[in-house]
Amino acid sequence: MNARQTGSRPLVAVIGAGNVTEEQYQQALAVGKGLGQAGIHVVCGGLGGVMEAVSRGCRENGGEVLGLLPGSDTQQANPWVSYPLPTGLGHSRNMLVAQAASVVIAIAGEYGTLSELAIALKTGRTVISLGAWPEVPGLICVESADEAVGRAVKILVSAGDD
């Protein structure tokens, strides 16, 4: 087992906007579903939007979710987070989310997502983008939730994180 695993299951960080369109919510839900079905746990910021959708999809399909919350209250977590961790760090918690896993999936997003994406790339994480900041160099850009999950699983297996 390595430090980026929870139990015997690999961990993927999912980042994205707190306010999303229905299409973005459905994409995040599908990513969570695919990760859960693949036996992968999720770490995210634990709030709404992409974070809620990916948490829901993962939990409904057998996965667990670690929510790294910006505030000091576990009640901030969306109802699908398995383990809410209040950091009290505000936006600084983005660094923790970005470094919590060797693979990061970005879905939609604004400046908070951009900061996590930049930290992840700078620290050598693989970042898969599903509609988030595709112009940023170094991203693996994909067109669908299935493709995002497939790429993440392939990367984890090739790195021995399965």
Side-chain angles (χ1 to χ4, degrees), residues 47-102:
L47 301 177
V50 164
M51 298 165 280
E52 177 182 322
V54 77
S55 298
R56 178 180 173 188
C58 186
R59 288 292 303 280
E60 288 180 341
N61 289 278
E64 299 291 338
V65 179
L66 173 62
L68 301 176
L69 303 169
S72 299
D73 183 1
T74 59
Q75 298 301 309
Q76 291 179 317
N78 74 65
W80 302 100
V81 169
S82 311
Y83 305 102
L85 180 62
T87 67
L89 295 173
H91 292 293
S92 297
R93 71 87 154 76
N94 291 358
M95 184 173 291
L96 299 175
V97 174
Q99 293 189 339
S102 58

Side-chain angles (χ1 to χ4, degrees), residues 95-145:
M95 184 173 291
L96 299 175
V97 174
Q99 293 189 339
S102 58
V103 176
V104 177
I105 298 176
I107 305 168
E110 297 178 356
Y111 292 126
T113 305
L114 181 60
S115 72
E116 289 167 317
L117 196 148
I119 292 163
L121 289 171
K122 185 155 181 75
T123 58
R125 285 10 180 211
T126 299
V127 181
I128 300 166
S129 173
L130 180 56
W133 303 93
E135 64 278 3
V136 173
L139 299 179
I140 297 171
C141 294
V142 298
E143 299 294 323
S144 70

